[in-house]
Amino acid sequence: MATFISVPLKKSSEVDLVKPLTKFICATYSAGEDQGEYVRAVEELNKLRKSAVGRPLDKHESSLEILLRYYDQLCVVEPKFPFSENQLCLTFTWKDAFDKGSLFGGSVKLALASLGYERSCVLFNIGALASQIASEQNLDSDEGLKTAAKYYQLASGAFSYIKDTVLSALNREPTMDISPDTVGTLSQIMLAQAQEVFFLKATSDKMKDAIIARLANQAADFYGDAFKQCQYKENLPKYFYFQEVLPVLAAKHCIMQANAEYHQSMLAKQQKKFGEEIGRLQHATDLVKTVASRYDEYVNVKDLSDKISRALAAAKKDNDFIYHDRVPDLKDLEAIGKAALVKSTVIKVPISQKFTDLFEKMVPLAVQHSMTVYNSRKAEIVNRLIGQMREATNLSNGVLASLNLPAALEDLSGDSIPQSILEKSRAIIQQGGLQSIDQLIKDLPELLQRNREILDESLRILDEEEATDNELRNKFGQRWQRTASNDLYKPLRTEGGNARNVLDKAVQADIVVKQRYGTHREMIALLCKPEAELNAAIPSANPAKTLQGSEVVSVLRALLANVNELKMEREKLENDIKSAQFDMTSKFLTALAQDGAINEEAISVTELDNIYGGYTQKVLQSLKSQEEILGKIQNSHQEFSTMRQSNADANQREEMLKKLAAAHDSYVELSSNLKEGTKFYNELTEILLKFQNKCSDIVFARKTERDELLKDLQQSIAQQPSAPSFPAVPAYQSTPSSTATPATATSSVPTPAPRTVFVQSKPQPPARPPPPAIQAQAANTSTPPASGAGPIPPATQPVSTPGATPSPAQGPPYPTYQGYPGCYPMPVAYNPYAYGQYNMPYMYQAPGQAPYPNVQQPQQPGYPYPQQPYYPQQ
């Protein structure tokens, strides 16, 4: 009786995980200890996949453990890598477990760039292998029963989980074996078998009949549900109908009902309900007879039948001689209770007890994304604070330069170079002077052109692949079943467009820098000259009045010292802002573990406010202090200007000193801008190279997928049957010639289409064809037609011309070869009753078609039978 159903494994094609995952790791993580550890983990993952799906698996728990570890690893690695068609594209190909293919074509398979698809297929194999291991157990031992029940429940849970998740894991219709209908039915079958194992365990342990009956009735209910799902769902594989699944389910349903009735009859006997005992045993007997008559080749119920028969015979004997209890009808019997001791195992990662995460140190993509957004928020705050301070410093320098400070305080003699101007000159010369600026400006176009070429090449390969995809889509139509390149490349094209906009803005910034450099180039060149030439270039003026001991000069110098001190504080504050760090990864990981999701905005805003709130207050205080100091400087400088002698030479000298101070400030700013521009272009080159690699990878994956799809389409086209070739229409069914009579020519009856005729046990020769009429007057001389023959349709009556030689009857077309004529003429002495292929027309008569009449022709003297037409010999 113990016939259990197991599920075959799916088979997968080999996939190289090392190359794409290693490439992603090297592009995402900086070189170091973590990168090397991640690369080694990828190699271990590739080995694990080969062990799990790349070789035949034994029906043993060790093989199942490998599958469980691989499934757990897939679940924990999925959130850590961007597996998708347009990012990290890995195509997994799996064959349908129930489709065995044909002689000329492989089985049904599906290739998808989805790790969710890989997970679903691996989980299917977990359920399949668990069912096979359970079916191999020795059910005569307690250990075997426990193991079988455990793995049937695991298989049921695996199939049930696929049913709930497969459609969301795939972006297209799955193969039939992992469709929700199929795996839902498999889950129900495994649950029924697990319940049966518990029934066997209860029977083996000789538990109470009431408990055993309830267990058996629940198993029968489970089997009945599984049978109904197989019977009423149209989208199930043929495996369920042609591989003994459906009859076994029907048989098991009856057997479990029979067992339930048997043990419930034993309970009735204990309760002195002898009539009920007989009624239940009779029902059990009927159920067993049904199994024996219909499903005997699938299950053996002899032992159960004998046991029930003996019990029924004994019960009838006792009731007839002793109790005389009335036997109730089947419909009057009380329903047997049910007890479900099994349930589908909940699939919760990790399933394996020995699982260790190979990528334990790698943070999930959700955390990486949150860190990226957090770093953007942080950079925005840092850039805003530093930009405010730098803008205030530039404003301060501009105000002081317009007032010719501190040079005006140092140039009281009127004929020497102010000390501040000399320091500015030395600083410019030390930084490289004009040559450094010219070299930086010269390098910008080369860097720009390099980035443009990388971007153009990246977009070009996308355009080429998209054009090829559109061409094949137009050619094959709906059979070209894969995501359109136009839709798949939208994120990449958006990224490429953003890079193009960044390059355009960088070009405009380069133009502004060059214009500013052109404005101050002459003064910068003057500051690069030796001290004597610089002194000669500055106009001299009459000595000013002695202001060294005046109070206004002292006030101005004190205020300028405050400005310098404020600048130094800002430099320190800028360094502190840049170096502020906080471990946000732990914060995001904790939030992900607790809530299952990350509210990045709430967490980031709170932490950034805690970190940079104090710095923001210090920057605002610095700006306020500068505003107060500059106001005092302007007031004091106005008083200082009225105290100095003013003439044309002094005004020219002061204007020159102002230009020199502004040129120095512009040089510092230009140098900083050009260095940042060079750094920007170099960093953009790395970003664009990664973008190019991403485009190359996805295009390569798409080409591989395209070649595989083309191969499958060619195989499917080659397997399609070609159009059948029909034999030539027989002569008597051909259209009448122009010599036909008007009645024949005007009437048109279509020739019935040939139909399938089943050959009888004794094949009959076809009816003989009517010979052509030799003389016109012989048409009236005819014998009565055969019994059941109808009149000849007008369009099919043979027409002949008197005196004309009849043409030979036409048969099916035969090939001709060199040296062998296609059809030889009939010999004169040919036997008229031998119906060969060369002398008989195609006399097919379909069921329901009117028979061809036997038209009698004139008899020649001495011949008792109609004569065959004469075929002249060549």
Side-chain angles (χ1 to χ4, degrees), residues 261-312:
E261 295 289 355
Y262 172 78
H263 287 280
Q264 192 70 19
S265 73
M266 297 296 103
L267 180 62
K269 182 179 181 180
Q270 296 169 12
Q271 297 173 351
K272 309 297 182 180
K273 299 177 180 178
F274 303 107
E276 178 184 343
E277 176 192 5
I278 295 173
R280 293 193 180 279
L281 288 173
Q282 287 177 344
H283 185 207
T285 301
D286 293 339
L287 291 169
V288 173
K289 286 181 178 179
T290 301
V291 175
S293 61
R294 297 184 182 180
Y295 311 113
D296 185 51
E297 60 178 308
Y298 304 107
V299 292
N300 182 7
V301 291
K302 186 177 185 305
D303 293 341
L304 178 62
S305 178
D306 293 344
K307 181 172 68 173
I308 295 174
S309 298
R310 288 194 300 269
L312 179 60

Side-chain angles (χ1 to χ4, degrees), residues 450-649:
R450 180 179 63 184
N451 288 327
R452 277 181 172 169
E453 290 176 354
I454 296 173
L455 181 59
D456 292 342
E457 176 63 18
S458 302
L459 298 178
R460 183 191 65 79
I461 60 177
L462 293 182
D463 293 338
E464 288 184 355
E465 199 284 326
E466 182 176 340
T468 304
D469 181 71
N470 291 335
E471 180 182 351
L472 292 171
R473 190 174 302 278
N474 294 333
K475 179 179 179 180
F476 291 104
Q478 295 182 351
R479 289 184 295 178
W480 193 251
Q481 295 181 351
R482 71 167 185 168
T483 307
S485 296
N486 183 31
D487 298 333
L488 192 62
Y489 294 158
K490 283 182 179 178
L492 291 175
R493 294 197 181 280
T494 301
E495 188 176 348
N498 294 336
R500 183 81 68 188
N501 294 335
V502 169
L503 283 176
D504 293 340
K505 291 179 180 179
V507 170
Q508 296 300 322
D510 293 345
I511 294 174
V512 173
V513 169
K514 291 178 181 178
Q515 291 176 350
R516 292 183 59 190
Y517 179 58
T519 302
H520 297 281
R521 192 178 192 284
E522 184 179 356
M523 290 296 103
I524 295 175
L526 186 58
L527 287 172
C528 293
K529 292 183 178 181
E531 183 177 347
E533 295 184 19
L534 178 61
N535 191 19
I538 300 175
S540 59
N542 294 328
K545 294 181 178 180
T546 305
L547 298 175
Q548 294 290 345
S550 64
E551 182 179 358
V552 67
V553 173
S554 300
V555 171
L556 283 173
R557 286 178 175 169
L559 291 172
L560 291 175
N562 291 338
V563 170
N564 292 331
E565 183 178 353
L566 194 61
K567 289 180 181 179
M568 294 178 63
E569 290 178 356
R570 285 178 182 168
E571 290 180 1
K572 183 178 182 302
L573 184 59
E574 181 176 335
N575 292 331
D576 291 342
I577 292 174
K578 288 180 179 179
S579 60
Q581 296 291 337
F582 186 77
D583 185 14
M584 289 297 296
T585 303
S586 300
K587 282 275 185 181
F588 290 138
L589 284 173
T590 302
L592 184 62
Q594 292 178 350
D595 305 331
I598 300 175
N599 188 351
E600 182 275 329
E601 183 176 1
I603 299 174
S604 296
V605 170
T606 302
E607 294 301 326
L608 289 173
D609 184 64
N610 293 336
I611 298 172
Y612 293 103
Y615 292 126
T616 302
Q617 295 299 324
K618 291 181 180 180
V619 170
L620 294 176
Q621 183 62 38
S622 176
L623 297 180
K624 184 177 179 181
S625 299
Q626 176 178 300
E627 185 178 357
E628 295 175 355
I629 294 173
L630 289 180
K632 293 178 181 179
I633 288 176
Q634 288 176 332
N635 294 332
S636 299
H637 183 268
Q638 186 175 3
E639 182 181 353
F640 173 75
S641 298
T642 57
M643 295 175 63
R644 295 182 60 184
Q645 277 187 335
S646 180
N647 52 43
D649 293 338

Side-chain angles (χ1 to χ4, degrees), residues 717-727:
I717 292 173
Q719 293 173 20
Q720 290 179 355
S722 58
S725 58
F726 297 100

Side-chain angles (χ1 to χ4, degrees), residues 771-785 854-860 866:
I774 305 301
Q775 296 178 0
Q777 62 271 22
N780 296 325
T781 306
S782 59
T783 58
N854 296 325
V855 181
Q856 294 290 338
Q857 298 297 334
Q859 303 291 325
Q860 294 184 9

Side-chain angles (χ1 to χ4, degrees), residues 315-332:
K316 283 185 175 181
K317 181 179 179 181
D318 293 343
N319 191 56
D320 291 342
F321 287 97
I322 303 174
Y323 306 113
H324 304 288
D325 196 4
R326 187 184 69 85
V327 178
D329 293 335
L330 179 62
K331 64 179 185 298
D332 297 331

